[in-house]
Amino acid sequence: MEELELLLKQVYGTSLDPNLSQDIIQKIEQSKAGFPRYQAWSEQDVILITYGDSVLSDELMPLQSLHQFLREYLSGLVSSVHILPFFPFSSDDGFSVIDYYQVNYSLGDWTDVAKLNQDFELMFDLVMNHCSRQSLWFNDFVNGSGEGQDYFVESDPSLDYSAVTRPRTSPLIVDVYTRQGLKHVWATFSDDQIDLNFANPKVLLAFVDIFLFYLKHGARFIRLDAVAFVWKILGTNCIHLPQTHAIVKLLRWVMEQLDPNMVLITETNVPHQENISYFGEGDEAHMVYQFALPPLLLHALNRGNGHYLTAWARDLVALPKGCNYFNFVASHDGIGVRAVEQIIPKHEIADLAESVHNFGGFVSMKSNGDGTQNPYELNISLFDALQGTRTGSDQWQVERFLCSQKLLLSLQGIPGIYIHSLTATENDQLLVEQTGRTRSINRHRWDRQDFEKLLAQEHSSQALVFQRYRDLLALRKTITAFHPESAQRVYDCGDALFVLQRGDAPRGTNNSSRDGLLAVFNLTKYPQQVEHFAQLPQAYQSECEDLLSDEQVTLADYKLKPYQVLWLVP
């Protein structure tokens, strides 16, 4: 209770309601019965990211169809499923939530979620910063009565908002006609996504209740969507404020009262140092999204040059105890570039954006306070983004793409794999035309029969990628060096390569333990040898076994094929 009250004081200061901590404790106590006990994370943990309707079939509801597909093809290969927002919504493919407690009837119901949970652990989104304009809460605000009447941030449009960090180009302050007349409310992401007012402790209490409801309904992992923006103080940039960090700490505290092996993940698409601030001192998020990884890896493979990727990975700070990275290279959103604004030069980001355009994608922009705009996100399927390099398309798409996925599976942390990476999905231009949203390019909905027909075609992208990816996942589970907390060291062996050691190097050359591994990635379409060979641990300078090919490899005289990857053990 004392720790909770301290956190609440960091949020509300002297205006703290003395009953708030007791109200939160009561909600926790009411939720404790019947929780499963989770195991600590390990190399067995791989999370699949998917919408509830990513795999469709005529005879089943979408969540049932997804479950059947995952059980048949990925049982034992992925441990957890992140079902992107599956609640009733009005826009943004689920992230404009109308009702936090219901399953979207077009997807299924809570019974379908529970059945999926019998075979996989689950991740849910807690969309905290905003809710739908069509929600009952916002209806209360418009009517001036009911639970939500004071849940939103009213604003004066004549004030100066130029210091506010903007992730979008849409207006920050939007007009609302209410029974009390015209009002103006804060809308960080769109005029349909109205920001909630966490300065009102009733809003925090409401979200603690939703948080506990999700945990009760099978979520081992909770992703805090757009959490960086939840606290507003005019005159500041309104991002990463101390109150925001205190709210994250509070939610972690609530979670750990139930099970210390549940996992809180923050989604903060911002420059790298800001992103990892959500580890706090090991008392905030258990995991943060590794937002710098997707653009760095795409840039490296697009240029055949891993200079920035290697430098960034070598400088990653030691993780606080009990914390780790959620690694991903593709997701339902595009490839954000904010995380690398201080890593990759602007002109090279512009070059990357040009390649994305050439490969059929789009570039989303963000507004700056001075009226200018910068690239915010590259909207393209990762498989199509890797169809070539900055010189154009070539014959190496599949190998280049699989190189990206092997790197994802090798890094310290837990990998998050977007379903459309597994299925080698191409740009969905038709869906973009239908929705008018560029992000739809990477949100294809597979008809299961169509997918399986492609699997049966020997030279289809799906046939070339899907089974090889499944084999990779099966192999990875056997390698203890890929435990999320296993040590990581990066070596600079030339810009054409990325070289990563996981675990400790064996002291003797006759030790074939999988507790230590050296991963070597050729980032180019040309054969490459390892430079600066002598800096590598002695155990890897002798003959090694490559777990990916079952071949014996001596790096001193070995030449990697285009986009080849080695997982070496002595």
Side-chain angles (χ1 to χ4, degrees):
M1 175 73 85
E2 184 178 341
E3 185 177 354
L4 175 61
E5 289 184 351
L6 180 61
L7 290 170
L8 288 170
K9 285 179 182 177
Q10 291 175 26
V11 179
Y12 294 109
T14 56
S15 63
L16 174 63
D17 180 346
N19 297 317
L20 183 57
S21 59
Q22 191 57 52
D23 290 341
I24 292 174
I25 292 293
Q26 184 177 358
K27 287 185 179 295
I28 294 171
E29 292 300 321
Q30 291 170 348
S31 300
K32 276 188 173 179
F35 268 98
R37 299 298 293 180
Y38 296 103
Q39 299 296 315
W41 55 39
S42 75
E43 66 277 7
Q44 305 292 313
D45 283 294
V46 174
I47 300 174
L48 183 78
I49 306 165
T50 179
Y51 277 104
D53 59 357
S54 290
V55 181
L56 302 173
S57 56
D58 292 338
E59 66 276 11
L60 298 172
M61 293 296 288
L63 283 171
Q64 296 169 356
S65 178
L66 176 69
H67 181 197
Q68 188 183 80
F69 177 84
L70 298 181
R71 185 170 54 193
E72 180 168 342
Y73 287 106
L74 295 172
S75 182
L77 300 179
V78 300
S79 58
S80 307
V81 179
H82 175 196
I83 317 173
L84 291 156
F86 51 89
F87 318 107
F89 71 97
S90 55
S91 64
D92 199 16
D93 284 348
F95 287 92
S96 184
V97 179
I98 294 174
D99 187 337
Y100 289 88
Y101 292 96
Q102 298 297 322
V103 175
N104 185 341
Y105 73 92
S106 67
L107 298 177
D109 56 30
W110 280 114
T111 301
D112 298 320
V113 175
K115 288 181 178 177
L116 184 57
N117 193 205
Q118 290 174 5
D119 294 310
F120 302 93
E121 294 177 348
L122 299 178
M123 184 195 297
F124 295 174
D125 289 277
L126 187 65
V127 184
M128 291 184 64
N129 179 70
H130 50 263
C131 69
S132 169
R133 198 176 187 124
Q134 296 181 27
S135 67
L136 289 177
W137 286 345
F138 196 67
N139 188 58
D140 291 343
F141 175 79
V142 170
N143 291 325
S145 62
E147 179 186 3
Q149 63 178 311
D150 53 359
Y151 272 21
F152 300 91
V153 183
E154 294 190 53
S155 307
D156 181 350
S158 67
L159 298 177
D160 180 9
Y161 296 89
S162 60
V164 177
T165 297
R166 297 305 324 284
R168 299 288 186 273
T169 56
S170 57
L172 176 65
I173 308 301
V174 300
D175 298 342
V176 180
Y177 292 93
T178 75
R179 292 192 175 219
Q180 293 77 40
L182 179 64
K183 292 186 178 183
H184 312 279
V185 294
W186 202 290
T188 298
F189 289 90
S190 80
D191 61 4
D192 185 54
Q193 295 167 294
I194 311 301
D195 286 31
L196 290 147
N197 181 16
F198 278 85
N200 178 353
K202 293 178 183 177
V203 173
L204 177 64
L205 189 61
F207 272 89
V208 168
D209 190 72
I210 296 165
F211 186 71
L212 290 166
F213 179 82
Y214 290 172
L215 295 174
K216 189 81 171 178
H217 280 74
R220 179 191 177 189
F221 303 84
I222 296 284
R223 173 187 186 267
L224 301 183
D225 177 69
V227 67
F229 299 93
V230 298
W231 199 271
K232 284 83 174 168
I233 300 176
L234 199 57
T236 73
N237 62 5
C238 298
I239 187 171
H240 315 314
L241 296 183
Q243 293 89 341
T244 297
H245 284 281
I247 289 171
V248 175
K249 290 179 186 179
L250 186 148
L251 291 174
R252 173 165 173 161
W253 182 88
V254 169
M255 181 177 267
E256 291 184 342
Q257 304 314 297
L258 302 171
D259 187 341
N261 290 322
M262 289 175 173
V263 180
L264 189 67
I265 305 178
T266 49
E267 185 268 338
T268 51
N269 189 357
V270 293
H272 180 70
Q273 291 303 318
E274 297 174 36
N275 184 34
I276 63 175
S277 72
Y278 284 87
F279 284 134
E281 296 179 0
D283 55 356
E284 291 189 42
H286 297 95
M287 293 202 295
V288 301
Y289 270 69
Q290 189 66 285
F291 274 108
L293 177 60
L296 279 165
L297 181 54
L298 179 59
H299 175 273
L301 291 167
N302 181 265
R303 285 185 167 249
N305 187 320
H307 172 78
Y308 298 118
L309 176 65
T310 294
W312 166 79
R314 289 185 77 180
D315 290 343
L316 287 175
V317 297
L319 291 161
K321 183 176 174 57
C323 295
N324 228 304
Y325 293 114
F326 182 69
N327 295 317
F328 73 110
V329 294
S331 75
H332 61 291
D333 289 338
I335 297 168
V337 295
R338 282 218 65 206
V340 294
E341 287 175 349
Q342 295 154 19
I343 301 173
I344 300 176
K346 286 184 178 180
H347 71 277
E348 294 192 21
I349 292 177
D351 281 351
L352 188 60
E354 183 178 354
S355 282
V356 165
H357 279 304
N358 292 338
F359 296 150
F362 305 92
V363 179
S364 298
M365 308 298 286
K366 73 176 183 70
S367 294
N368 302 318
D370 60 3
T372 62
Q373 296 183 358
N374 283 347
Y376 171 76
E377 186 176 82
L378 310 177
N379 300 117
I380 191 169
S381 111
L382 182 64
F383 187 68
D384 268 354
L386 293 171
Q387 67 184 259
T389 66
R390 64 194 298 251
T391 62
S393 300
D394 57 32
Q395 74 272 34
W396 296 106
Q397 182 177 18
V398 168
E399 297 307 321
R400 185 183 295 112
F401 175 76
L402 287 172
C403 177
S404 77
Q405 302 307 294
K406 292 168 189 174
L407 199 150
L408 165 66
L409 296 177
S410 302
L411 289 167
Q412 183 181 37
I414 293 177
I417 303 168
Y418 190 35
I419 192 169
H420 292 302
S421 293
L422 271 171
T423 56
T425 308
E426 299 171 352
N427 293 333
D428 193 334
Q429 300 286 1
L430 179 59
L431 192 59
V432 173
E433 292 177 16
Q434 291 172 344
T435 66
R437 297 189 300 272
T438 56
R439 279 182 167 177
S440 297
I441 198 170
N442 194 30
R443 297 178 179 179
H444 181 68
R445 300 182 185 98
W446 278 108
D447 178 278
R448 179 169 174 175
Q449 286 188 337
D450 290 345
F451 176 74
E452 290 177 337
K453 285 178 183 177
L454 289 169
L455 270 187
Q457 296 175 17
E458 182 180 357
H459 298 294
S460 72
S461 300
Q462 290 65 42
L464 292 169
V465 169
F466 192 61
Q467 184 56 50
R468 289 174 68 183
Y469 210 139
R470 294 173 73 235
D471 292 342
L472 277 173
L473 293 173
L475 174 61
R476 185 186 186 277
K477 292 182 62 175
T478 69
I479 303 172
T480 53
F482 289 141
H483 189 287
E485 295 175 4
S486 175
Q488 174 170 294
R489 182 175 178 183
V490 175
Y491 298 92
D492 185 351
C493 294
D495 290 345
L497 302 176
F498 182 72
V499 180
L500 174 81
Q501 179 187 334
R502 292 298 310 278
D504 296 323
R507 294 180 181 277
T509 58
N510 294 323
N511 186 346
S512 61
S513 168
R514 295 184 177 189
D515 294 337
L517 175 144
L518 189 75
V520 184
F521 303 83
N522 182 356
L523 302 173
T524 78
K525 55 185 173 182
Y526 306 105
Q528 300 288 343
Q529 285 187 287
V530 178
E531 298 180 14
H532 314 302
F533 178 81
Q535 68 177 309
L536 298 176
Q538 188 66 39
Y540 300 111
Q541 296 188 31
S542 304
E543 186 176 70
C544 295
E545 178 189 359
D546 174 29
L547 299 178
L548 290 169
S549 66
D550 291 328
E551 294 179 351
Q552 300 303 307
V553 172
T554 303
L555 278 179
D557 54 15
Y558 190 80
K559 188 169 284 191
L560 283 85
K561 301 179 185 72
Y563 302 108
Q564 185 180 358
V565 178
L566 304 173
W567 281 352
L568 300 176
V569 294

